[in-house]
Amino acid sequence: MTASGKTAGMMIKAPALVLTLTVLLSACSFAPRYERPEQEMPKQWRAVDMGSAPLHTDWWNRFNDPVLSELVEEALKNNQDLAQSMAKIESAAAQVGVGTAALAPAVSGTGSATAQGASEKTANTVPFDQSKLSRSTTSYQGALSASWELDFWGKVRNQYTMLSDVLMSTVIGHEALRLSVAGQTAQGYFALLAQDMQLDTSRRTLKSREESFRIYTARYKQGDITELDWQRARAEVETARAQVHTSTIAVDKAEAGLAVLLGRSPRDIMDRAMKRGQGINMLPAPPVLPAGLPSDLLERRPDVRAAEFTIMAYNANIGVARAQFFPSISLTGMLGTLSASVGNLFTGPAGAWSYGVTGSVPLLDFGRNWYNLKDAEAQKKSAIAVYRKTVQTAFEDIRTSLTSQREADHIVRSMQVQVESLRRAVQIASLQYSNGYTDYLTVLDAERQLFAAELQLATALRDRLNSVVSVCMALGGGWQDAGTSPSFPVVNTEKLLQEQTSVKKAAPASKSE
């Protein structure tokens, strides 16, 4: 074999050798092996087998109020915080696309037209000849060039994994925000109904006291009661009137706040009335959640899952930072043509090509890569702390919400009995006062206590409904009752989440060394 034949053979074998090394080293990664942070879970929470039944994502339908369901759906469709969150998902998905593109070769096309000229020294030429003064040529060139960084150390794949995990965290964070917006809408609606009830109570009380005051005024003019009793009756009228104004302000504030949650326009916020369904005293309180829930039920909470994907993203980022300490090697190639005429650029015999391997090694960066690695490790530690705190908060939420739901129901029952008793007490006190068996102060005390109890009953009813919402939010969306089949609306981000999971499985996997 001639020397030129050997050289050609080596040139053919070189790319094959590089590709072989690429395949052998493609599974190399400097990212630590991911392990979920361990936490000690309460054993008693595993007493009930809930199976794999999914959560109720439409938990607001438990209240059997079509208006509430309509308002929640409107909020999930138009809320501006959700619109901003959806834009963040689109941005994160675009970044994953950038990471995916980095796994493939980069191909670019170039073209150029170059004119060159040179002058001749013709001082003694007679007559003067312009053609001997200069020479010029024009050349045209077109080429395709490609480069591909060999991911020996898993830097590109870990960066793709990090971006994918960030996308998953963003998507699940959007689910958490949907849950929060739905909960805020329900609680805002219950607050509005409670304020409506207090306003109705205040108006009814004011009307009753005004009627009584007219009777007391007539009796005072006749000398049947003292001025002291008359002044007290007058003061109670104004107390009820002030409460009417206070409740009116609260109703208006609740309506405006709810309109913003629903994402309504400024015109609608100012002019559009808020729909009401059943009165707050007519809304059913769903049954108390049974004790003994499994701990993995809380792991379905969107905020817990999003926090874990954040850890996974920072874990992959450590692999990216570690790979910066090692050489970066790329394959490059070029194929093109050269012609003196544009028309012959792609038909002419003149061709140009090249290929090669380029590499760079970090020698002296004054600790930049080392500090980047320490920063990546610190970010993972921070994400682990956030995850642990999120899980702790989840158990805190479910503990307090279950207790609140159970006790809020008892409070409502006690308040209802109290209101009934005070209404009877007012009747008895008024009858005794009319017959001269007691003074007017006893009547006023009974009326004051009844008024305050009726206002507190509206608050208690609101708190009982809010406690149900808190349980649903603490569980990440509610729970599945025994013997019922779940019904779940598909959220906008579900398809994106599934597609991204498929992309992650199809992409080259980063394995720990």
Side-chain angles (χ1 to χ4, degrees):
M1 180 179 291
T2 63
S4 60
K6 292 182 179 180
T7 303
M10 293 177 63
M11 293 173 63
I12 295 174
K13 292 179 180 179
L17 179 61
V18 172
L19 291 175
T20 302
L21 290 175
T22 303
V23 173
L24 293 175
L25 295 174
S26 61
C28 181
S29 171
F30 290 116
R33 184 179 299 277
Y34 174 74
E35 294 181 359
R36 175 182 290 182
E38 293 292 334
Q39 296 198 82
E40 185 178 357
M41 298 295 183
K43 296 180 180 179
Q44 62 270 23
W45 279 58
R46 300 186 181 274
V48 174
D49 183 13
M50 299 289 289
S52 58
L55 298 174
H56 259 306
T57 55
D58 55 349
W59 50 266
W60 50 87
N61 291 328
R62 288 180 173 272
F63 296 99
N64 297 323
D65 188 341
V67 174
L68 171 61
S69 299
E70 180 183 338
L71 293 179
V72 172
E73 294 297 337
E74 182 181 354
L76 295 180
K77 180 180 179 181
N78 300 324
N79 181 269
Q80 293 305 301
D81 291 332
L82 287 175
Q84 181 185 14
S85 176
M86 199 65 199
K88 291 181 179 179
I89 291 178
E90 295 174 359
S91 175
Q95 291 299 317
V96 171
V98 174
T100 304
L103 296 170
V107 181
S108 60
T110 59
S112 63
T114 305
Q116 295 178 335
S119 61
E120 293 182 357
K121 188 175 182 181
T122 56
N124 298 325
T125 303
V126 179
F128 184 78
D129 190 349
Q130 177 68 28
S131 63
K132 293 184 179 182
L133 284 177
S134 63
R135 293 178 301 172
S136 64
T137 60
T138 303
S139 63
Y140 302 90
Q141 182 179 8
L144 292 176
S145 59
S147 64
W148 184 26
E149 182 177 354
L150 302 181
D151 196 20
F152 284 160
W153 326 114
K155 179 180 70 174
V156 179
R157 284 174 289 116
N158 280 322
Q159 188 172 23
Y160 167 81
T161 300
M162 178 191 69
L163 294 173
S164 299
D165 291 334
V166 169
L167 172 61
M168 299 290 280
S169 178
T170 306
V171 170
I172 299 174
H174 181 78
E175 294 179 8
L177 184 58
R178 283 174 55 88
L179 176 63
S180 176
V181 168
Q184 291 177 43
T185 302
Q187 291 177 339
Y189 178 69
F190 297 148
L192 176 59
L193 295 184
Q195 296 297 340
D196 284 342
M197 182 176 178
Q198 289 187 343
L199 180 57
D200 291 340
T201 299
S202 300
R203 287 173 175 171
R204 186 180 66 252
T205 301
L206 175 60
K207 182 178 180 181
S208 175
R209 289 184 179 180
E210 285 178 337
E211 292 175 354
S212 298
F213 182 64
R214 283 195 293 268
I215 297 175
Y216 292 142
T217 300
R219 295 183 63 185
Y220 170 65
K221 291 180 179 180
Q222 294 175 1
D224 295 335
I225 63 174
T226 65
E227 183 182 359
L228 178 61
D229 290 343
W230 182 81
Q231 292 291 356
R232 285 173 175 172
R234 181 185 180 187
E236 292 305 311
V237 170
E238 297 307 318
T239 299
R241 195 189 311 279
Q243 184 60 47
V244 168
H245 295 308
T246 300
S247 297
T248 301
I249 294 173
V251 168
D252 186 75
K253 184 177 181 179
E255 282 191 331
L258 190 55
V260 172
L261 272 174
L262 300 180
R264 292 183 175 176
S265 67
R267 178 179 178 180
D268 287 341
I269 292 175
M270 296 297 296
D271 301 334
R272 184 177 174 183
M274 190 66 60
K275 292 179 63 176
R276 270 83 157 172
Q278 304 180 64
I280 195 169
N281 58 331
M282 301 299 295
L283 287 175
V288 177
L289 189 68
L293 289 175
S295 294
D296 59 358
L297 192 62
L298 290 181
E299 294 175 0
R300 306 181 200 179
R301 279 177 47 136
D303 56 344
V304 174
R305 291 186 289 133
E308 184 172 7
F309 271 108
T310 302
I311 299 177
M312 296 167 65
Y314 285 126
N315 188 76
N317 192 40
I318 292 177
V320 176
R322 288 176 176 176
Q324 298 292 342
F325 288 92
F326 295 87
S328 176
I329 302 175
S330 299
L331 297 179
T332 60
M334 186 274 291
L335 178 64
T337 61
L338 181 66
S339 174
S341 171
V342 176
N344 297 328
L345 183 61
F346 298 103
T347 59
W353 58 270
S354 67
Y355 67 85
V357 179
T358 61
S360 62
V361 181
L363 297 178
L364 183 63
D365 62 359
F366 300 97
R368 182 183 296 107
N369 290 335
W370 186 84
Y371 286 118
N372 284 334
L373 175 59
K374 292 304 176 182
D375 178 56
E377 292 174 345
Q379 288 177 340
K380 181 183 176 181
K381 291 180 181 179
S382 175
I384 291 175
V386 171
Y387 172 80
R388 293 183 184 277
K389 181 64 178 295
T390 303
V391 173
Q392 293 168 358
T393 302
F395 278 92
E396 177 192 10
D397 290 345
I398 190 60
R399 172 179 172 174
T400 56
S401 62
L402 284 176
T403 301
S404 297
Q405 185 183 21
R406 182 181 63 250
E407 299 303 324
D409 186 64
H410 296 325
I411 292 173
V412 168
R413 295 178 187 273
S414 297
M415 291 298 302
Q416 289 172 338
V417 173
Q418 182 184 18
V419 169
E420 292 176 2
S421 298
L422 287 173
R423 284 175 181 169
R424 180 56 181 164
V426 169
Q427 293 175 356
I428 295 174
S430 298
L431 183 61
Q432 290 180 347
Y433 176 71
S434 299
N435 294 320
Y437 292 108
T438 187
D439 57 5
Y440 185 63
L441 184 59
T442 302
V443 178
L444 289 180
D445 287 340
E447 290 180 345
R448 289 170 185 167
Q449 292 177 18
L450 174 60
F451 188 30
E454 288 178 331
L455 295 178
Q456 291 173 4
L457 176 59
T459 302
L461 290 169
R462 180 204 64 191
D463 292 343
R464 182 174 67 173
L465 294 172
N466 284 347
S467 68
V468 178
V469 176
S470 297
V471 171
C472 294
M473 295 179 67
L475 291 176
W479 65 92
Q480 179 66 35
D481 293 330
T484 60
S485 58
S487 174
F488 309 101
V490 179
V491 299
N492 295 334
T493 58
E494 187 68 23
K495 183 177 180 181
L496 177 59
L497 186 62
Q498 294 175 355
E499 291 176 351
Q500 186 54 36
T501 303
S502 301
V503 171
K504 290 188 66 176
K505 291 181 179 178
S510 294
K511 300 180 180 179
S512 301
E513 285 189 314

